């Protein structure tokens, strides 16, 4: 037998050490869901391997349902406005296509690039929101929320939400570093400024949504419960002040608290449509609410779904939203990077709560808010901003290496 000669000074490999290192890697993967890096792997295969495919599939299904409901809800409005029967469906397909492209491209980016672009987008949307009282329009709806571009309109608050969630998460994470900035204070100041500008429009729904997203991130970052309770009290006090000083806000609250629903109002039409739909609906194209509701294709699209397709389709829509939120939060629980965890949590919870508010208004569980159902309602700004927000969420929830378990135990994670 030939003996293997080794160079002087070369140590014999320690088999036990190799097995221990391998075991540590397996343990890390079991605990954190880590996936080892593959050097030189192309972008597309790596993106597909680490992506939450179920959540992306749920988003695509929601968009398909939105087009289906748009075919039912928008022709009456197009006829009233003198357009082709499928004018709004074609526009929804166009803006939805842009939203899907934005979602896919954003999900392929690195978290650092997403954060940088989100900061720039937030600054632009913040300035646009501040200039709305001067250059904005209300389109006869009593709230100055849009910029009219002639061929389309832009609502800055829709693009501000995902940018703010990322910026606030960045500030929260930076504040926990040694000698870090007072990120919590800065993020709170930004949140208050945004809420005040939204209330001035008035847009209380978006203001509550921004405040909720910030509060969720602050809770995950370790906010004291007493402070959160105090903030809830301030919100209630602010609602009382808004009720006494804003006729728009008071009218909606009074309409919600009134036990008798006026059948000629939007809530009355929506409530009756949901009641008529029953379990399986009245049939495709047989619904009547779309002829009475001016916002049947936007804020009250779920009423069209309930009337024509019944409770079955509504439950499917709820399950799709719940799947996206729950799967995202479960994946974020394994994330060790504080910024990714906070930003992803803020985006996921805001996405889910917006859907819950829209459907809650339609069934009269909440006061009227004027908020779209993500990826289902018609609206260019809502669709594109939603695509960007979900793209950020898919980017932050991609499976990535989480480091060695020993680093975490030694406090170096």
């Amino acid at each position: 037998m030939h003996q293997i000669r080794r160079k002087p000074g070369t140590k014999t490999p320690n088999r036990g050490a190799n097995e221990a290192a391998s075991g540590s890697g397996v343990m890390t993967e079991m605990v954190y869901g880590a996936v080892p890096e593959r050097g030189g792997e192309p972008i597309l295969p790596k993106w597909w391997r680490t992506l939450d495919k179920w959540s992306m599939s749920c988003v695509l299904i929601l968009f398909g349902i939105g087009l289906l409901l748009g075919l039912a809800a928008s022709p009456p409005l197009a006829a009233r406005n003198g357009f082709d029967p499928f004018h709004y469906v074609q526009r929804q397909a166009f803006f939805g296509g842009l939203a899907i492209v934005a979602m896919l491209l954003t999900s392929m980016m690195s978290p650092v690039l997403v954060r940088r672009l989100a900061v720039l987008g937030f600054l632009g949307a913040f300035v646009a929101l501040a200039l709305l009282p001067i250059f904005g329009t209300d389109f006869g709806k009593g709230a100055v929320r849009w910029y009219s571009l002639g061929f389309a309109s832009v609502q800055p608050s829709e693009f501000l939400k995902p940018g703010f969630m990322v910026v606030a998460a960045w500030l929260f994470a930076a504040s926990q570093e040694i000698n870090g900035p007072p990120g919590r204070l800065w993020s709170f100041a930004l949140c208050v400024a945004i809420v005040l500008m939204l209330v001035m429009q008035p847009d209380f729904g978006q203001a509550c949504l921004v405040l909720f997203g910030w509060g969720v991130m602050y809770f995950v970052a370790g906010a004291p419960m007493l402070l959160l309770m105090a903030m809830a009290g301030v919100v209630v006090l602010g609602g009382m002040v808004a009720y006494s000083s804003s006729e728009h806000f008071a009218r909606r609250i009074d309409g919600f608290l009134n036990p008798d629903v006026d059948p000629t109002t939007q809530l009355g039409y929506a409530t009756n449509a949901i009641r008529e739909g029953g379990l399986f609906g009245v049939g495709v194209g047989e619904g009547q609410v779309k002829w009475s509701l001016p916002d049947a294709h936007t804020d009250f699209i779920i009423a069209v779904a309930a009337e024509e397709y019944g409770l079955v389709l509504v439950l499917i829509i709820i399950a799709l939203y719940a799947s996206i939120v729950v799967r995202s939060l479960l994946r974020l629980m394994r994330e060790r990077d504080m910024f990714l965890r906070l930003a992803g949590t803020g985006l996921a919870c805001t996405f889910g709560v917006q859907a819950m508010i829209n459907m809650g208004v339609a069934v009269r569980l909440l006061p009227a808010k004027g908020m779209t159902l993500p990826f289902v309602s018609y609206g260019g700004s809502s669709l594109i901003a939603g695509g960007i927000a979900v793209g950020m969420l898919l980017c932050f929830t991609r499976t990535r290496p989480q480091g060695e378990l020993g680093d975490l135990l030694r406090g170096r994670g």
Side-chain angles (χ1 to χ4, degrees):
M1 295 179 63
H2 297 281
Q3 293 183 350
I4 299 176
R5 298 181 179 272
R6 305 188 183 278
K7 296 181 180 180
T10 301
K11 294 183 179 180
T12 304
N14 190 332
R15 180 179 179 184
N18 291 339
E19 291 178 351
S22 175
S24 176
V26 172
M27 189 60 145
T28 303
E29 188 166 341
M30 291 173 61
V31 175
Y32 299 108
V35 173
E37 286 282 2
R38 301 178 184 177
E41 186 177 7
I43 294 177
L44 286 179
K46 181 180 179 180
W47 167 76
W48 184 251
R49 177 174 56 85
T50 58
L51 182 70
D52 185 0
K53 304 173 188 64
W54 284 103
S55 293
M56 187 182 70
S57 300
C58 289
V59 171
L60 296 177
I61 294 173
L62 284 171
F63 177 60
I65 292 175
L67 289 178
L68 177 66
L69 296 177
L71 288 170
S74 62
L77 179 66
R80 286 196 295 268
N81 294 334
F83 296 125
D84 294 333
F86 300 113
H87 171 78
Y88 291 104
V89 178
Q90 293 169 355
R91 289 175 64 88
Q92 185 173 1
F94 173 74
F95 288 119
L98 294 179
I100 297 300
V101 171
M103 179 186 73
L104 296 177
L105 291 178
T106 306
S107 67
M108 294 179 188
M109 299 178 185
S110 67
V112 174
L113 180 57
V114 169
R115 186 186 67 196
R116 291 172 179 172
L117 294 177
V119 171
L120 295 176
F122 168 76
L123 292 176
F126 186 86
V127 172
L129 188 68
L131 295 177
L132 266 179
I134 302 174
F135 302 105
T137 182
D138 62 354
F139 289 110
K141 297 185 178 181
V144 182
R145 302 177 184 176
W146 300 272
Y147 285 103
S148 178
L149 305 180
F151 61 92
S153 60
V154 178
Q155 187 175 354
S157 60
E158 292 287 355
F159 297 92
L160 186 73
K161 285 183 300 184
F164 172 70
M165 297 304 158
V166 174
V167 170
W170 184 29
L171 292 173
F172 275 127
S175 67
Q176 298 192 5
E177 298 177 358
I178 299 176
N179 298 323
R184 297 185 178 187
L185 179 61
W186 291 355
S187 67
F188 179 69
L190 279 177
C191 182
V192 171
I194 293 169
V195 168
L196 290 177
M197 286 191 291
L198 289 172
V199 168
M200 288 173 60
Q201 293 182 2
D203 191 349
F204 295 99
Q206 297 285 12
C208 291
L209 204 57
V210 169
L211 192 60
F212 170 79
W214 182 87
V216 167
M217 288 188 291
Y218 196 11
F219 174 77
V220 174
M225 287 302 299
L226 288 177
L227 180 59
L228 291 177
M229 293 173 63
M231 289 179 56
V234 171
V235 171
V236 173
L237 180 61
M240 296 172 62
V241 172
Y243 180 83
S244 60
S245 60
S246 173
E247 181 182 352
H248 173 81
F249 185 80
R251 185 170 59 252
R252 292 198 168 186
I253 295 298
D254 291 339
F256 171 70
L257 296 178
N258 189 353
D260 298 323
V261 181
D262 186 351
T264 61
T265 62
Q266 293 200 96
L267 282 176
Y269 289 128
T271 303
N272 183 67
I274 294 172
R275 187 186 304 115
E276 292 292 330
L279 186 61
F280 298 105
V282 299
V284 179
E286 299 297 325
Q288 298 300 314
V289 70
K290 58 194 176 186
W291 297 99
S292 306
L293 270 176
D295 293 329
H297 64 312
T298 55
D299 299 349
F300 291 92
I301 190 72
I302 199 69
V304 177
E307 184 182 30
E308 297 202 358
Y309 298 92
L311 180 63
V312 173
L313 181 60
V314 175
L315 292 178
I316 291 174
I317 293 174
I318 294 174
L320 290 171
Y321 284 114
S323 298
I324 296 171
V325 174
V326 172
R327 284 189 60 85
S328 299
L329 293 179
L330 289 176
R331 293 171 76 94
L332 289 167
M333 287 175 62
R334 301 194 298 262
E335 180 59 59
R336 289 177 55 191
D337 188 290
M338 179 60 70
F339 163 70
L340 297 181
R341 192 187 312 159
L342 293 176
T345 301
L347 291 167
C349 291
T350 303
F351 177 81
V353 169
Q354 179 172 340
M356 184 180 70
I357 290 175
N358 177 278
M359 291 184 282
V361 168
V363 297
R364 209 164 175 262
L365 289 176
L366 295 171
K369 295 288 185 183
M371 195 172 293
T372 58
L373 190 60
F375 289 100
V376 177
S377 296
Y378 171 83
S381 295
S382 175
L383 282 169
I384 296 176
I388 295 172
V390 174
M392 292 177 177
L393 181 61
L394 291 174
C395 171
F396 296 154
T397 56
R398 283 171 57 184
T399 308
R400 52 180 55 85
Q402 301 291 340
E404 295 295 331
L405 182 61
D407 295 338
L408 178 65
L409 298 177
R410 289 191 294 270
R412 297 206 306 257

